[in-house]
Amino acid sequence: VALLLMNTALFCGAAVGVRREQHFSFSLLQDAAQPSLRRWLQSLTQIGVLALGILLVWGGAVLYAAEADVVIAGTRLSEGARFLPLCV
């Protein structure tokens, strides 16, 4: 249970960093580009972040489904619950 809570807090912190555009930054090319190209690169970056988010949600759901029937020893929680933070 503690590991599940830690994973959830970790992913929520990463989500805040992405929302503030401080978690992953690919700004070297953007900073060197002309203003018209810079706006296009910023849009491309946002699309990339969205695609990665969709991939994480899908992958987390697949992992959850694969482990949903297995119970964590000593608890009644599913092993798949460890992958739920990816879906949030």
Side-chain angles (χ1 to χ4, degrees):
V1 175
L3 185 59
L4 178 62
L5 293 174
M6 184 183 75
N7 284 344
T8 303
L10 179 91
F11 279 106
C12 287
V16 169
V18 169
R19 178 77 174 130
R20 291 183 180 176
E21 297 181 3
Q22 295 174 339
H23 185 55
F24 290 113
S25 180
F26 304 105
S27 61
L28 185 63
L29 184 60
Q30 289 179 11
D31 293 342
Q34 297 175 355
S36 60
L37 183 60
R38 187 176 302 150
R39 285 189 296 270
W40 184 81
L41 289 172
Q42 288 171 342
S43 297
L44 187 64
T45 300
Q46 292 296 324
I47 291 169
V49 169
L50 177 65
L52 182 62
I54 291 170
L55 183 65
L56 283 172
V57 169
W58 176 78
V62 168
L63 289 170
Y64 174 79
E67 298 291 327
D69 296 337
V70 181
V71 178
I72 297 174
T75 69
R76 292 185 296 187
L77 290 175
S78 165
E79 282 280 345
R82 295 188 302 156
F83 303 109
L84 285 177
L86 288 172
C87 298
V88 174

